[in-house]
Amino acid sequence: MTGLLNRGTLGSAAIALGMIAAVSTTEAVADTYKWITFKPQGAGDAQAISTQWFVDEFKKRTGDEHEIEVYWGGSVAKTREIPDSLAAGVGDFGDIVTPYFPDKFPLNNAVGFFIPQPKSTLEISDLMEKWHEAYPQFAEELARSNLKAVGFRPLESYGLLCTTPIRSVEDLKGKRIRTYGFAYPALVEALGATPVSVATSEAYEALERSILDCTPIGPALAHGWKYDEVAKYYIEIPLGASFGHLIAMNLDTYNGMDEKNRAIVDQLGRDYAKNYAGELDKTISAVRAGWPEKDVEVIQFPTDELIAVIDDERIQNVRKEWISRAEAAGVPSDEIVEELRF
């Protein structure tokens, strides 16, 4: 009888252990999140490299319990489709180009209304993080589209890439300059030039065929799009870091994470900005070092001549438009405006 009891007890224990093991195995199955982006994996630029860094760090910091799979190159959603696709749960993470949606995300596109401005890539990232912490309206604007910002990716500081040398405001008179959004057309007109709307993908040919004389851009992007093959003068006019991209999450996915993993994502977003800016600086340094061999001349533009046009009514009207939107949303604008002033 004792032997039977022992065998029965052992059998029950084995069954119990098996059930525990099964539960443990189930709990150990890693969650895989989906990141949707327009960026090709093989781009080899700061965005692609830092995206992979985020993915690798997420897996590492969660102890291999969770991972992110990136769907590169618009394979799931194109650039302008990502906000709606992400909101609908087609992806969990995604890259949102805020200047493409100035009416949908006006607060989060604040910097786009204040060109030129003096801040660098990392400084703009820090400001966006600061504003999100100080003013809940920034997050609420995204939450209305079921989105949550978990990181910021400002673009590099911009100058002008031109097909002829530009050394002063006088040299800009009548020049045809590529523009987009609200602030750039106003600035170009204030400088005495002519704004021309040309898609990024078409700017190479437009510069080559003299449809454009200049385009606002930074060294890394100028090289990446190969514009520096057809435009050989980079004008150091301080337009400031252009914003840029949100690294966003589907809000339901973010809220569905446990507290530990939300904290990991939040910290990763803060750490990401430094990693991205570091990669961007490396690219910019390499491009600038190679420009002499490509016969690209770098020309310093008088900063005071740029600052002198900021009070132009056209530029100020664009800024006032953002201020009115911010104040309508209950965001006090004075501090934000001051941060973006020369």
Side-chain angles (χ1 to χ4, degrees):
M1 179 67 70
T2 302
L4 289 173
L5 286 171
N6 286 342
R7 285 194 295 274
T9 302
L10 288 170
S12 298
I15 293 169
L17 286 170
M19 291 175 67
I20 292 169
V23 170
S24 298
T25 301
T26 301
E27 290 178 347
V29 172
D31 287 325
T32 300
Y33 298 95
K34 180 186 292 185
W35 186 316
I36 55 178
T37 183
F38 53 85
K39 176 63 64 172
Q41 184 176 14
D45 61 5
Q47 179 179 341
I49 293 169
S50 58
T51 297
Q52 190 61 54
W53 175 86
F54 190 112
V55 168
D56 294 341
E57 280 293 304
F58 179 74
K59 184 175 182 179
K60 176 182 173 183
R61 296 186 192 189
T62 61
D64 290 345
E65 290 182 3
H66 307 286
E67 60 185 1
I68 302 169
E69 184 175 0
V70 183
Y71 290 78
W72 301 92
S75 58
V76 169
K78 305 301 181 187
T79 306
R80 294 182 184 274
E81 298 170 344
I82 288 178
D84 289 341
S85 296
L86 198 57
V90 175
D92 302 297
F93 293 80
D95 298 311
I96 297 177
V97 183
T98 54
Y100 288 177
F101 310 98
D103 293 322
K104 191 169 188 175
F105 308 122
L107 292 181
N108 285 278
N109 196 37
V111 180
F113 288 80
F114 288 85
I115 297 165
Q117 55 81 21
K119 302 297 185 181
S120 68
T121 299
L122 197 53
E123 287 172 331
I124 289 296
S125 179
D126 289 343
L127 282 176
M128 287 297 296
E129 187 176 320
K130 174 183 174 180
W131 296 336
H132 269 256
E133 290 175 356
Y135 309 114
Q137 294 91 336
F138 277 75
E140 289 166 1
E141 179 179 83
L142 295 168
R144 287 194 288 274
S145 295
N146 199 32
L147 299 170
K148 162 76 176 176
V150 295
F152 305 103
R153 187 192 297 126
L155 303 182
E156 60 195 302
S157 292
Y158 273 24
L160 285 176
L161 188 69
C162 300
T163 57
T164 58
I166 303 293
R167 304 185 190 279
S168 67
V169 167
E170 191 60 34
D171 291 338
L172 284 170
K173 304 299 183 186
K175 290 292 188 289
R176 292 155 298 185
I177 301 178
R178 177 176 175 256
T179 62
Y180 49 87
F182 298 102
Y184 272 117
L187 173 60
V188 166
E189 288 181 350
L191 289 168
T194 302
V196 180
S197 179
V198 174
T200 303
S201 59
E202 297 170 358
Y204 180 102
E205 184 178 0
L207 288 165
E208 186 179 37
R209 296 174 57 192
S210 298
I211 295 168
L212 288 177
D213 297 303
C214 302
T215 183
I217 201 164
L221 283 172
H223 180 72
W225 283 99
K226 300 184 179 181
Y227 295 169
D228 55 1
E229 293 180 351
V230 292
K232 297 297 184 179
Y233 299 93
Y234 186 75
I235 318 304
E236 296 275 23
I237 181 171
L239 301 177
S242 216
F243 191 78
H245 304 167
L246 292 175
I247 298 177
M249 283 191 69
N250 174 281
L251 184 59
D252 294 333
T253 299
Y254 179 83
N255 289 335
M257 287 178 160
D258 60 33
E259 187 176 344
K260 174 186 173 184
N261 287 318
R262 280 199 303 270
I264 288 171
V265 168
D266 292 343
Q267 186 59 51
L268 256 178
R270 290 188 287 269
D271 295 344
Y272 172 87
K274 292 180 181 178
N275 179 273
Y276 165 74
E279 292 293 341
L280 187 58
D281 285 345
K282 282 191 256 183
T283 301
I284 292 169
S285 295
V287 169
R288 286 181 177 274
W291 267 350
E293 291 185 9
K294 299 183 72 170
D295 296 322
V296 176
E297 180 183 352
V298 177
I299 299 173
Q300 296 295 324
F301 188 90
T303 300
D304 57 340
E305 292 190 14
L306 174 67
I307 293 174
V309 306
I310 292 177
D311 288 334
D312 184 278
E313 183 179 11
R314 288 162 289 196
I315 293 174
Q316 289 303 312
N317 284 341
V318 171
R319 298 182 175 206
K320 287 174 183 176
E321 180 180 347
W322 185 84
I323 291 168
S324 67
R325 292 188 187 194
E327 291 179 348
V331 176
S333 61
D334 289 351
E335 181 182 341
I336 293 173
V337 172
E338 188 61 33
E339 294 276 17
L340 299 173
R341 195 188 306 276
F342 275 92

